[in-house]
Amino acid sequence: MIYTKILGKVDDEDFKNRPVDYIDFEWHETYSKLHRKTSRSGRDVALSLDDSILKIGIKPGDVFGVDSDGSVIAADVLETDILSVRLENPNFFSTAKVAYEIGNCHAPLFAGKDQNELITIFNEPMQRLLEGLHGIKVKVEKRNEKLDFSKQISSIVGHGHGHSHGHSHEH
């Protein structure tokens, strides 16, 4: 079956009393329009979503349709390695600096469990960058967990993002 749009959430009135067959996505697949997947119960599923998905992304619990047996076909996003960035003495400057550096690397950014924590996707260069920020004390911890998309601050919207990374070396 080919699904072309998101119809709602699994807890919406139209879907909440039906069995759910989830399609698993890696975090980096959530902003792609085209997918060919196998659901958890073995259904062959194709997605051909419109351009709006490039901005909103696929979120856990998004419903793509109802199969002929009445099962809701919905999205889940798998656990991934994340970086928890805990600001020791948070202030506007330090929070803005950390958020800027993560954004400049085109990585997604999420609010953490409290106001002193920011979450991004793990990679070693990002970990070294954040641990080495001058004048900002951070504790960076690698964990494996599901991203909380309700706390998403920024995403990896589009790969043709329209700005250059030229650097001037003039003094």
Side-chain angles (χ1 to χ4, degrees):
M1 181 80 178
I2 298 175
Y3 298 100
T4 59
K5 58 186 167 185
I6 296 170
L7 302 177
K9 296 297 241 179
V10 292
D11 55 358
D12 290 350
E13 196 62 40
D14 293 342
F15 308 117
K16 70 179 181 181
N17 294 319
R18 296 175 180 259
V20 179
D21 188 10
Y22 286 100
I23 304 166
D24 292 323
F25 293 88
E26 299 285 339
W27 74 268
H28 57 85
E29 296 176 310
T30 60
Y31 287 88
S32 295
K33 298 183 340 179
L34 302 173
H35 298 273
R36 185 72 183 248
K37 296 275 195 180
T38 302
S39 71
R40 289 181 186 170
S41 73
R43 284 181 176 88
D44 185 30
V45 178
L47 299 176
S48 180
L49 304 170
D50 66 26
D51 286 347
S52 69
I53 208 67
L54 300 173
K55 291 186 177 160
I56 63 171
I58 296 168
K59 307 285 190 284
D62 283 348
V63 172
F64 301 112
V66 178
D67 204 33
S68 58
D69 69 356
S71 295
V72 173
I73 308 301
D76 196 15
V77 180
L78 300 171
E79 287 187 352
T80 191
D81 288 336
I82 58 106
L83 281 175
S84 164
V85 183
R86 180 156 295 283
L87 296 145
E88 292 182 9
N89 294 310
N91 59 47
F92 178 79
F93 173 79
S94 62
T95 303
K97 178 70 173 162
V98 169
Y100 170 82
E101 293 297 347
I102 291 170
N104 199 40
C105 293
H106 303 282
L109 180 63
F110 297 80
K113 294 180 175 127
D114 60 43
Q115 65 184 12
N116 298 344
E117 182 183 41
L118 294 171
I119 303 287
T120 191
I121 300 301
F122 172 81
N123 67 55
E124 287 185 28
M126 178 74 77
Q127 183 174 3
R128 285 193 301 273
L129 170 79
L130 295 171
E131 289 172 338
L133 289 176
H134 179 72
I136 299 173
K137 292 189 179 215
V138 297
K139 178 183 174 199
V140 180
E141 174 188 19
K142 179 182 174 185
R143 300 193 302 251
N144 188 273
E145 62 187 49
K146 283 191 172 212
L147 294 167
D148 183 348
F149 283 85
S150 71
K151 294 183 175 183
Q152 188 170 13
I153 297 169
S154 69
S155 64
I156 55 164
V157 177
H159 296 291
H161 46 271
H163 69 267
S164 67
H165 283 268
H167 299 278
S168 172
H169 294 282
E170 296 178 20
H171 294 293

